[in-house]
Amino acid sequence: MGFFSFTTCDTQESIANVYSNHKNAKRTIYLLQYDGSEPIPIDGYEGYGTYGNINAYAWIGKHNIEQAIELLGLPEKVRELDLFEDTKELHGIGLKLFNNHLDQLRYPLKFSYNKDANWHDYEPSRNDPAQGFFLGNSIEL
């Protein structure tokens, strides 16, 4: 599997991975929370969609499970899926929601380099065309 990443919701900057040698690779990125709780800080993004111990697509699947049932025609039992124990199944659900229904999601991903950014003030984070790696001053592997 290749690198992939997202852009920040507030400044549309690439979330650089640690292999990119980009200035943002060493910055803390925050997964903003819609419920007013503290944003989740993430250091050292490795480029494969897991921020800290949270799989980004599984997070989308879990937090938008009601919409997944409706939009994807999933059975009611998916409500019982656990973010950490059922990551693989939730990843698949979240990926379908992100790719096909991003602008309809009640709780999309919103990343920021600013820990004080408010989730409610911004549009969703989007796929990063540079994949968090091809950012101009990246090192060659």
Side-chain angles (χ1 to χ4, degrees):
M1 181 161 99
F3 291 135
F4 71 92
S5 190
F6 300 94
T7 57
T8 59
C9 64
D10 50 354
T11 61
Q12 290 72 51
E13 292 177 83
S14 293
I15 299 172
N17 71 51
V18 296
Y19 306 106
S20 70
N21 200 33
H22 188 269
K23 64 180 180 168
N24 287 346
K26 294 185 187 212
R27 291 175 69 189
T28 300
I29 189 75
Y30 297 91
L31 176 54
L32 305 179
Q33 301 299 299
Y34 60 87
D35 62 2
S37 58
E38 287 292 313
I40 299 169
I42 300 131
D43 292 307
Y45 175 57
E46 293 196 8
Y48 301 104
T50 299
Y51 295 83
N53 64 345
I54 297 172
N55 177 291
Y57 290 124
W59 188 97
I60 293 171
K62 180 64 178 174
H63 290 270
N64 293 281
I65 203 68
E66 295 302 321
Q67 287 184 280
I69 291 168
E70 179 183 327
L71 294 168
L72 304 177
L74 299 177
E76 302 283 325
K77 69 179 185 178
V78 296
R79 284 188 179 100
E80 300 169 16
L81 295 174
D82 180 81
L83 182 59
F84 301 103
E85 293 180 20
D86 302 305
T87 298
K88 187 174 181 179
E89 190 167 357
L90 284 167
H91 175 96
I93 293 168
L95 184 60
K96 288 177 186 172
L97 287 172
F98 185 86
N99 286 336
N100 300 308
H101 304 284
L102 177 61
D103 292 324
Q104 296 172 283
L105 293 181
R106 187 168 292 125
Y107 305 116
L109 290 169
K110 296 185 184 183
F111 291 102
S112 178
Y113 286 112
N114 175 5
K115 77 174 198 165
D116 296 319
N118 185 317
W119 187 93
H120 297 282
D121 292 342
Y122 300 102
E123 294 295 315
S125 289
R126 305 271 177 190
N127 274 328
D128 176 15
Q131 302 170 335
F133 182 76
F134 303 101
L135 301 166
N137 62 347
S138 300
I139 58 172
E140 296 293 323
L141 295 180

